[in-house]
Amino acid sequence: MTGRALTLGAAAAALGLGVAIFLWKTRQIAGSIGVGAFPLDDSWIHMQFARNLAEGRGFAFNPGVPVSGSTAPLWTLALGGAFTVFGPHPALAKVLGLVLALATAWLAGSLAELWTGRRELALLALVLTALAGPMLWGALSGMEVSLAALLVTTALVFRAREREGAAAVALGLAALARPEAILLLPLFWLSGPLTWRRVLTWLGPVAACVAPWVAFNLATIGSPLPGTAVAKIEGGLLGALSGVREPLATSLVRRPAQYTWEWIRWLWGVDALLPLLLVPGIAWLFRRPGRAALIPACVLMAHPVAMALLAPYRGPGFQEGRYSIHLLPLAIVTAVAPLAALAAVRARRVAARALLVGVLVALPGAASRYGWAVQNIEAMQVHLARWVIDHTPPTARLGLNDVGAITYFSRREIVDVMGLVTPAILPYRREGESGVLRYLEQACPDYLILFPEWFPTLSAMTDRFRPVYRVRLDHNTVAGADELVVYEAIWSRWAVDRHPCPGALAVAPGPGGPGAAEKGRDRIIITWSP
């Protein structure tokens, strides 16, 4: 067997072991292995965009209404391509994620060999990457993180081989999968001669990759950033530019310190030795490969601080590190690198085994968190999607704060009260719940499905929104709140005592008129707890 086949086989075996543990835990917790289930509602947002693309309805959430509602357009396009060829089967996202994770592990091994010159350390980095809990979570999550990790690692490998043009293209594509990857751009430039020619070598391909997406954002929502970013940013430089104000001490001190500590804890959760070996790893890169490897690896220290200063939204460990996983292969390779300084073979083997034990010890916990997240989304958002199908007419318009699974399964027209895919509501949201209410009174959705904890004022307006159904999670690990409630608006086109819609955006009743859907009239509050 060739060396390449051996390393690929080792990556496949490690990944297979990790996936088996994740699926076993999911079956224990959720009752099935969840082939077509995901641990985040956001996964279903990608599915909705991808299905509309495959069906020729454009890059749109509500069919035919283009909107930049994805911070990972390259992943959405990849899913759309897969759906076009094979049909809109959500399980395809897992297949694609696993293939990308396998390729990422193999490239992590290649990067370790390029930096250390030792094949056994390359094999170690490969296996650790394939077994890392966040990498497995990303592969099975239906999210973009495996694609981003692959492209970032590809860029690092090309840079190590001094193929800077190819590395720049890979980095530009990575920014379309996870925008945080753009932080590597100045570091790649600083890792070589500081010439204007190299500025063009790096900046040109990245700009060419990103420019079409920026143009689409400007055309659809009037901002260079996608609607998801505009809706989520909580402060920092980009927040200040969009009107978010906060104390300087928060922006410059508290949040960077908080994010840095969270980053260390997240790495510790992947493998207890990982954060301990990063500093020796950076030092070893300074002595051996030098600037070409050292400066790009410094992104591991810059990442949490840059997140805090530029565009903060939760922290680097949020949702299994979904905004950080693209750097995990680099972190693993950097942690493995100082083992090359150990002259004794026995010492290297002991250190390698310790790293393997660390990642294996963390694996069951990561698998359990994934299983509970799948259970939560299936029991809340997917369950409510089925309720909507059974109890509302196909032409009903829904106002949602979690838009993914409910929209995907029900195929209803929706208004996103958070603004991720309904950017027109964002100016109203700045006024708080009163502003959201003003927008709802113009858009006039027939039903609202909201977390009462997020919208206590709206939820208490029983003269406008009548609760008809609710779901409560007994063990919530990933949903935005424990309870999600369906409200019928008094202006619903299917209400028995329908009131006039107060706004100008109201639509005409659907086929059959207000009495067409008898199921929509039931106002008995039913509590369902999984």
Side-chain angles (χ1 to χ4, degrees):
M1 182 180 289
T2 65
R4 180 172 295 183
L6 179 63
T7 55
L8 192 58
L15 188 67
L17 173 62
V19 169
I21 293 172
F22 266 60
L23 297 184
W24 171 60
K25 281 288 187 180
T26 303
R27 183 178 179 83
Q28 279 189 325
I29 294 166
S32 71
I33 61 174
V35 172
F38 299 107
L40 292 179
D41 188 63
D42 287 6
S43 308
W44 294 108
I45 296 178
H46 284 299
M47 305 301 145
Q48 175 72 0
F49 273 110
R51 185 176 62 188
N52 281 335
L53 279 168
E55 293 177 352
R57 301 172 185 267
F59 200 102
F61 200 77
N62 285 321
V65 184
V67 64
S68 63
S70 171
T71 48
L74 188 62
W75 174 244
T76 307
L77 292 170
L79 280 180
F83 283 9
T84 301
V85 175
F86 300 106
H89 306 297
L92 286 171
K94 292 182 186 285
V95 174
L96 188 55
L98 289 169
V99 171
L100 294 169
L102 181 63
T104 303
W106 185 75
L107 282 171
S110 299
L111 183 64
E113 186 167 4
L114 286 166
W115 280 357
T116 68
R118 293 186 177 276
R119 183 162 293 181
E120 69 274 17
L121 295 184
L123 186 62
L124 175 62
L126 174 151
V127 170
L128 290 172
T129 301
L131 283 173
M135 290 297 299
L136 290 159
W137 178 91
L140 296 170
S141 69
M143 298 296 288
E144 71 280 354
V145 291
S146 293
L147 177 61
L150 173 68
L151 290 168
V152 166
T153 311
T154 299
L156 288 161
V157 169
F158 278 137
R159 176 64 189 92
R161 291 175 176 165
E162 298 186 351
R163 297 176 58 186
E164 293 197 334
V169 172
L171 183 59
L173 293 174
L176 293 177
R178 233 3 299 148
E180 293 85 356
I182 203 71
L183 182 59
L184 275 162
L185 178 59
L187 297 178
F188 274 136
W189 178 67
L190 291 169
S191 68
L194 306 183
T195 64
W196 285 110
R197 182 176 179 179
R198 290 187 71 252
V199 169
L200 296 176
T201 298
W202 285 104
L203 189 58
V206 172
C209 290
V210 174
W213 183 238
V214 173
F216 181 75
N217 296 338
L218 288 169
T220 54
I221 69 167
S223 167
L225 301 175
T228 42
V230 175
K232 288 182 175 181
I233 290 173
E234 297 174 337
L237 177 61
L238 293 181
L241 293 175
S242 60
V244 178
R245 297 288 179 262
E246 62 180 2
L248 277 178
T250 298
S251 298
L252 301 179
V253 180
R254 294 192 196 100
R255 190 181 288 117
Q258 173 196 339
Y259 277 28
T260 299
W261 176 239
E262 185 175 325
W263 170 243
I264 293 169
R265 285 192 290 111
W266 180 71
L267 290 170
W268 178 278
V270 177
D271 187 321
L273 290 180
L274 203 53
L276 302 178
L277 288 172
L278 284 186
V279 173
I282 293 287
W284 189 89
L285 291 176
F286 174 73
R287 290 198 305 270
R288 292 296 299 274
R291 181 172 162 186
L294 169 67
I295 295 180
C298 285
V299 73
L300 298 171
M301 295 182 288
H303 170 66
V305 177
M307 281 185 70
L309 294 177
L310 297 177
Y313 176 70
R314 310 302 164 84
F318 176 62
Q319 291 179 343
E320 298 301 312
R322 60 181 284 195
Y323 303 132
S324 304
I325 293 172
H326 62 286
L327 294 178
L328 185 54
L330 172 61
I332 289 171
V333 171
T334 304
V336 164
L339 273 60
L342 300 175
V345 174
R346 180 177 180 139
R348 283 201 303 272
R349 287 178 179 171
V350 169
R353 286 170 185 164
L355 277 166
L356 278 171
V357 168
V359 80
L360 287 170
V361 165
L363 202 51
S368 293
R369 292 192 300 274
Y370 173 85
W372 275 114
V374 167
Q375 188 275 341
N376 286 176
I377 299 303
E378 288 289 298
M380 180 174 273
Q381 284 83 356
V382 174
H383 173 82
L384 277 175
R386 295 180 180 129
W387 185 92
V388 166
I389 293 169
D390 291 339
H391 294 84
T392 70
T395 54
R397 177 186 289 181
L398 311 178
L400 307 174
N401 62 213
D402 268 10
V403 299
I406 294 173
T407 309
Y408 182 85
F409 287 103
S410 74
R411 287 185 177 262
R412 302 307 193 258
E413 180 189 0
I414 68 101
V415 175
D416 177 9
V417 298
M418 302 305 295
L420 276 67
V421 294
T422 305
I425 201 175
L426 291 175
Y428 294 82
R429 283 199 64 219
R430 295 191 187 103
E431 303 171 22
E433 287 190 74
S434 61
V436 173
L437 177 62
R438 284 201 304 115
Y439 186 87
L440 292 175
E441 288 180 337
Q442 295 176 41
C444 295
D446 301 295
Y447 297 89
L448 289 182
I449 305 179
L450 303 176
F451 293 125
E453 185 177 317
W454 289 14
F455 298 94
T457 303
L458 290 177
S459 302
M461 292 181 174
T462 53
D463 58 327
R464 286 184 176 89
F465 308 112
R466 301 159 175 162
V468 297
Y469 191 72
R470 66 182 76 236
V471 172
R472 172 172 283 275
L473 296 174
D474 294 329
H475 182 75
N476 178 23
T477 66
V478 74
D482 293 344
E483 186 176 62
L484 192 56
V485 179
V486 182
Y487 302 89
E488 183 185 50
I490 59 171
W491 53 73
S492 168
R493 290 168 283 164
W494 293 272
V496 175
D497 53 346
R498 183 190 180 203
H499 289 57
C501 180
L505 302 182
V507 297
E518 295 296 324
K519 291 181 180 178
R521 297 184 176 185
D522 181 13
R523 290 192 192 83
I524 299 173
I525 300 177
I526 307 168
T527 301
W528 183 86
S529 182

